[in-house]
Amino acid sequence: MLLELKNVVAGYLRGVNVLRGVNLHVKRGELVCLIGPNGAGKSTVLRAISGLLKPSQGEIIFDGDNIAGLRPDLILRRGIAQVPQGHSSFPAMTVHENLLMGAYSVSDRAERRRSLEQVYEMFGMLAERREAKAGNLSGGQQKVLEIGRALMINPRLMLFDEPSLGLAPKMAQMVFQTIKQLQNEAGITVLMVEQNAKSGLAISDRAYVLELGRDRLEGPAQALLNDPKVAQLYLGGTTLDSDEQSDDVPAVAEVEA
Ligand SMILES: Nc1ncnc2c1ncn2[C@@H]1O[C@H](COP(=O)(O)OP(=O)(O)OP(=O)(O)O)[C@@H](O)[C@H]1O
Ligand SMILES: [Mg+2]
């Protein structure tokens, strides 16, 4: 187990809990998707993990240690990188400069160079456009740059908040493929929040549905894709055609309140 949230309670205002007891886990090497309606607390879960918000109760176990409430820079140093919602690259700086910014916390020069080479090797598009200003990249390319930047700290876990938001469908697919590539080629564990539930679930191993600050459903991503309740709420009302469903998909577990 790489990450485990146990009964995490957190909120922004005293006495108002946004997360009301969240339990979830991500195994080493897994790609896990978190879906749920607006305001359910999905982004708040990511903020609690990366240390931007201090939980009032519960534990966040990362690689055996409870990191709940640690400073964000210390959590980053442990190997948890977050790719936030929207665009976070510096538009007036080049691709290369943006990648170097990602490694500001890495003091070892040789290590920085190795990370840079690895990122360019993995993402040829960034190597080709290394001298281009980030602001001149397409939305999808900027997202890939942000992923590259997060990779510069050599993370073990990457957190994504709605990576496809605002992207044209083709660009969104490219970004999803890039995230899958992180898992398959770099062995990185991923926890991703996604509104585009269909595409998000399609690349994921497992998923959770968060509602009103609690995890309501969990299961293999394929099972959630085929679940009528999930389909109605998050996939536009229809399940996949029956010939696309597989018989050996394990059932979705209803989480007890
Ligand atoms: N900085 C903040 N201060 C106070 N309340 C906040 C803050 N950020 C979020 N909230 C509240 O916390 C709740 C959960 O917000 P959160 O952003 O985690 O939801 P979400 O599931 O990510 O929703 P969305 O799908 O819209 O991104 C909402 O009611 C929101 O209004
Ligand atoms: Mg959000």
Side-chain angles (χ1 to χ4, degrees), residues 4-182:
E4 188 169 18
L5 273 68
K6 293 183 185 172
N7 199 30
V8 170
V9 176
Y12 299 92
L13 307 167
R14 194 179 284 273
V16 185
N17 291 330
V18 170
L19 304 184
R20 302 186 302 155
V22 173
N23 293 281
L24 63 83
H25 67 269
V26 186
K27 291 182 206 143
R28 260 170 237 282
E30 245 186 345
L31 201 170
V32 172
C33 190
L34 190 56
I35 62 174
N38 290 119
K42 304 180 297 297
S43 299
T44 304
V45 167
L46 298 187
R47 272 183 220 126
I49 297 169
S50 56
L52 299 174
L53 183 69
K54 209 176 162 133
S56 59
Q57 278 179 58
E59 290 178 50
I60 301 177
I61 312 288
F62 178 67
D63 202 20
D65 297 325
N66 187 7
I67 60 163
L70 277 188
R71 275 192 351 234
D73 58 315
L74 297 178
I75 291 178
L76 185 78
R77 228 172 264 276
R78 282 173 182 249
I80 302 182
Q82 181 161 7
V83 178
Q85 194 175 314
H87 287 302
S88 58
S89 54
F90 300 97
M93 291 169 75
T94 65
V95 165
H96 194 75
E97 288 162 344
N98 266 282
L99 290 176
L100 288 176
M101 291 291 287
Y104 72 92
S105 69
V106 180
S107 45
D108 187 78
R109 274 180 72 184
E111 195 183 325
R112 273 205 306 264
R113 209 174 38 236
R114 260 199 314 277
S115 300
L116 199 56
E117 278 165 18
Q118 200 190 347
V119 168
Y120 280 141
E121 200 173 307
M122 240 178 122
F123 307 123
M125 181 276 294
L126 294 181
E128 278 165 32
R129 309 216 55 192
R130 63 201 289 161
E131 296 309 326
K133 296 264 192 288
N136 291 336
L137 301 182
S138 73
Q141 289 173 333
Q142 282 185 44
K143 201 38 109 178
V144 175
L145 172 58
E146 288 156 28
I147 294 171
R149 197 180 58 182
L151 271 176
M152 291 294 291
I153 65 150
N154 212 354
R156 284 183 288 167
L157 173 69
M158 283 182 75
L159 307 174
F160 287 91
D161 198 352
E162 308 212 16
S164 78
L165 191 74
L167 299 181
K170 249 200 174 130
M171 286 294 157
Q173 283 317 311
M174 179 192 66
V175 168
F176 284 126
Q177 286 322 308
T178 304
I179 294 170
K180 196 67 190 164
Q181 202 184 347
L182 291 175

